[in-house]
Amino acid sequence: MENAPIINLSRQIALRRQMDVVANNLANLNTFGFKGEKVLFEDFIMPEASDRTFPFGDRDVHFTADWATMHDLQPGAINETGNAFDIALEGPGYLSVQTQNGLAYTRNGALHLNASGTLVTSDGDPVLSNGGPITFTSDETDISIGANGAVMSSAGTKGRLSVVEFNEPQSLTHLGGSLYRASTADPGQTAVETKVHQGAIERSNVSGVAEMAEMVDVNRAYQLVAQIIKNQDDLRQKAIQKLGDISA
């Protein structure tokens, strides 16, 4: 079988994967705390077949493979909101939250109280302190969150936000939106470099202009590969037709 169609197909598969990542970045342009992603590609070299009787020397066959998806860990812009329950994390830390699928981490600081008075994320997941979820009664006032994550109200100390930092943040598994799951190799540790900023929120670090430009580039590259495949098919058909005419 000819190698050219397979090589071009590998490139198209990689471009489709890249387009999926770009589309997801754009979809989360306004998701608080969202970190954009980038696809890393590698040059996969097909193992050689070799034999002393081959009339010509072997040549490497190169394929395109998407090697990994990397998180863009640059901080997003911090906007002041004045809302007592909004927080922005200044540093590499993540908030610990309890989801329906277990413990997860996020930088989405758009918090609020649910019907039972528990502090939750915009998705309704309870935000954890060192002693579990943080709950307020309806008559508590003067709610404040310190730079170290300590939560206070008129009733006194309510707990301290569980902010976690990771040695290898690229090992986090993206669960969707701004949620991540830690790997067993790097479960995280209590934050030492991260400060909590009350009354502010971190926006997505995705640039809409840059992502749109990349989407155009990916689309053009895909169309170019498709045209190359079509040209190769046309040449093959012409060759078969000429060979048929000669045989006749």
Side-chain angles (χ1 to χ4, degrees), residues 5-55:
I6 304 177
I7 294 172
N8 286 321
L9 180 60
S10 74
R11 177 59 175 155
Q12 283 191 314
I13 293 173
L15 286 169
R16 289 192 63 176
R17 170 60 181 155
Q18 187 177 3
M19 181 65 81
D20 289 342
V21 171
V22 172
N24 185 63
N25 287 343
L26 284 172
N28 287 281
L29 185 62
N30 295 315
T31 299
F32 296 127
F34 178 79
K35 300 298 182 185
E37 297 180 325
K38 297 292 182 182
V39 180
L40 297 183
F41 299 101
E42 68 174 350
D43 182 21
F44 177 77
I45 302 177
M46 186 72 176
E48 295 181 355
S50 60
D51 192 284
R52 293 181 181 178
T53 61
F54 286 175

Side-chain angles (χ1 to χ4, degrees), residues 2 4 227-243:
E2 294 184 15
Q227 186 60 48
I228 292 173
I229 293 176
K230 182 179 182 303
N231 292 342
Q232 290 171 342
D233 288 340
D234 291 343
L235 289 173
R236 189 179 299 106
Q237 290 178 5
K238 291 178 180 179
I240 292 173
Q241 184 177 358
K242 289 183 178 181
L243 287 173

Side-chain angles (χ1 to χ4, degrees), residues 12-233:
Q12 283 191 314
I13 293 173
L15 286 169
R16 289 192 63 176
R17 170 60 181 155
Q18 187 177 3
M19 181 65 81
D20 289 342
V21 171
V22 172
N24 185 63
N25 287 343
L26 284 172
N28 287 281
L29 185 62
N30 295 315
T31 299
F32 296 127
F34 178 79
K35 300 298 182 185
E37 297 180 325
K38 297 292 182 182
V39 180
L40 297 183
F41 299 101
E42 68 174 350
D43 182 21
F44 177 77
I45 302 177
M46 186 72 176
E48 295 181 355
S50 60
D51 192 284
R52 293 181 181 178
T53 61
F54 286 175
F56 303 103
D58 297 326
R59 291 187 177 181
D60 294 336
V61 179
H62 298 256
F63 295 90
T64 303
D66 55 297
W67 175 63
T69 302
M70 304 293 289
H71 310 305
D72 180 0
L73 300 177
Q74 293 297 316
I78 294 180
N79 290 355
E80 299 286 341
T81 66
N83 186 337
F85 293 111
D86 284 344
I87 62 168
L89 299 180
E90 298 177 347
Y94 290 78
L95 283 174
S96 303
V97 298
Q98 185 64 46
T99 71
Q100 294 181 346
N101 298 316
L103 182 63
Y105 302 92
T106 184
R107 288 181 64 90
N108 185 345
L111 311 181
H112 66 278
L113 300 183
N114 63 11
S116 61
T118 300
L119 187 64
V120 297
T121 66
S122 56
D123 294 325
D125 299 320
V127 178
L128 300 180
S129 71
N130 297 333
I134 301 174
T135 303
F136 298 87
T137 59
S138 59
D139 59 346
E140 290 184 56
T141 59
D142 300 327
I143 296 172
S144 66
I145 303 175
N148 63 351
V151 182
M152 305 284 292
S153 77
S154 57
T157 302
K158 305 298 297 184
R160 182 175 177 178
L161 295 176
S162 178
V163 181
V164 175
E165 294 174 354
F166 299 92
N167 294 323
E168 297 293 338
Q170 291 295 345
S171 67
L172 292 171
T173 300
H174 190 199
L175 301 178
S178 58
L179 278 179
Y180 297 88
R181 177 177 291 125
S183 67
T184 54
D186 185 13
Q189 60 277 328
T190 301
V192 293
E193 300 179 16
T194 304
K195 294 183 179 180
V196 178
H197 185 171
Q198 185 182 17
I201 201 163
E202 180 186 7
R203 301 191 63 84
S204 167
N205 69 351
V206 173
S207 167
V209 174
E211 294 299 323
M212 286 298 296
E214 185 172 355
M215 179 175 284
V216 171
D217 290 341
V218 172
N219 186 56
R220 288 176 177 172
Y222 191 93
Q223 291 177 346
L224 178 60
V225 175
Q227 186 60 48
I228 292 173
I229 293 176
K230 182 179 182 303
N231 292 342
Q232 290 171 342
D233 288 340

